[in-house]
Amino acid sequence: MNNFEQQVLGIYDWVVEGPTPLNDGSGFWNFGYWCRSTPNRRVACETLLERMLALIPDRAGNILDVACGTGETTRYLMKYYAPGDIVGIDVNAKQMSICREQTPQCSFQEMSATEMTFADASFDNMLCVESAFHFKTREMFLNEAFRILKPGGRLVLSDLLLPQNTIAQPPENYLSSATDYKSLCHAAGFEDVILFESTEQCSAAFADYGTAFLQDHLRQGRISLADYGWQVGWLAHVRWLPYFLVSCFKA
């Protein structure tokens, strides 16, 4: 594990154990995909997964859930895949223990997304939810993903284009546009690379949800004014982050 991965682990440990979990008890740690009628955070996160999985035309074979966290996404995959065909990886040993305890039907391995130990052509499809911007680097991850995918397989991601000098992203991961993102995927060997911008439905909508959630907690006295202030400030920044759903095909 490199130093940046250790830094990110610290951030996520704090988020999971922090005083005001914005996941609202859903078990998911992504922004979700919000429609006008979305009733709550869990439904938003499940909608995001449905949007991503719709980019995999053939859901046969096995699938790898990259940076699976505490495993809520991995558990959701059992809606479409046999448990024995689902593998989750993450560098966080604590979260891997949670996954194995809560979802023993699936396989989990502590592993870096940029140095995967799987053999070439091991998986039919791969999913990576809101994590690739953390990897040191995204380029190394894409190369590894291409290597371990079988011909005809797809890598589907939800990803953010973060500003330069962001604490949650290695400097090497900065991309200025969707065009740059496509070029990076093509350089790894992928074809038929498609990006769907979903900023309004994901980043902006999550910021609206989170702000209302925190306001409610403040009114109920469940959060301090100081904690409320900095988290609302963070959400104001999140609102403008470009968010994409990405599909990459290995011929």
Side-chain angles (χ1 to χ4, degrees):
M1 184 188 307
N2 60 54
N3 290 337
F4 188 84
E5 286 175 335
Q6 292 177 335
Q7 177 180 311
V8 171
L9 287 188
I11 294 172
Y12 276 88
D13 283 343
W14 186 90
V15 168
V16 172
E17 299 166 4
T20 309
L22 284 173
N23 74 335
D24 199 14
S26 70
F28 287 105
W29 297 101
N30 58 70
F31 289 176
Y33 191 104
W34 301 77
C35 305
R36 184 171 298 179
S37 59
T38 303
N40 55 51
R41 178 73 186 281
R42 170 169 285 279
V43 172
C45 294
E46 291 179 349
T47 301
L48 175 64
L49 292 179
E50 289 292 337
R51 293 273 178 165
M52 295 178 70
L53 289 168
L55 300 176
I56 303 176
D58 183 4
R59 296 174 192 152
N62 60 358
I63 188 167
L64 177 65
D65 184 10
V66 179
C68 63
T70 55
E72 197 66 29
T73 296
T74 318
R75 285 189 283 279
Y76 192 83
L77 289 174
M78 289 193 287
K79 180 177 179 181
Y80 295 102
Y81 291 86
D85 290 329
I86 303 170
V87 179
I89 64 168
D90 202 286
V91 294
N92 193 318
K94 184 186 302 183
Q95 293 184 355
M96 287 291 86
S97 295
I98 294 172
C99 289
R100 294 185 185 108
E101 179 181 345
Q102 295 185 351
T103 315
Q105 311 97 307
C106 300
S107 174
F108 295 95
Q109 298 187 41
E110 185 181 339
M111 190 184 301
S112 170
T114 61
E115 296 179 286
M116 290 186 273
T117 57
F118 301 112
D120 294 357
S122 292
F123 290 94
D124 292 284
N125 293 293
M126 295 176 61
L127 197 70
C128 182
V129 181
E130 235 169 89
S131 301
F133 58 88
H134 287 313
F135 301 155
K136 189 175 175 68
T137 60
R138 189 190 272 116
E139 180 181 10
M140 290 177 64
F141 163 63
L142 290 171
N143 288 333
E144 278 289 86
F146 187 83
R147 179 184 67 80
I148 69 168
L149 270 176
K150 298 176 184 178
R154 287 187 184 270
L155 165 65
V156 176
L157 310 94
S158 64
D159 205 356
L160 293 150
L161 299 189
L162 300 186
Q164 288 181 303
N165 304 316
T166 301
I167 188 173
Q169 171 180 269
E172 305 95 316
N173 277 355
Y174 173 70
L175 294 170
S176 63
S177 66
T179 300
D180 288 348
Y181 201 116
K182 276 189 175 183
S183 296
L184 198 65
C185 295
H186 284 139
F190 287 106
E191 300 179 9
D192 192 22
V193 178
I194 306 173
L195 276 72
F196 301 90
E197 183 166 3
S198 306
T199 306
E200 181 180 348
Q201 297 86 356
C202 297
S203 306
F206 172 73
D208 289 341
Y209 154 79
T211 300
F213 177 90
L214 292 168
Q215 288 173 345
D216 184 57
H217 273 54
L218 184 64
R219 283 193 296 267
Q220 297 180 39
R222 298 172 65 185
I223 183 175
S224 70
L225 186 59
D227 281 341
Y228 169 82
W230 80 258
Q231 291 189 71
V232 167
W234 174 72
L235 288 168
H237 168 71
V238 163
R239 159 176 291 281
W240 305 107
L241 295 178
Y243 195 109
F244 291 91
L245 305 186
V246 185
S247 173
C248 303
F249 177 71
K250 178 176 178 177

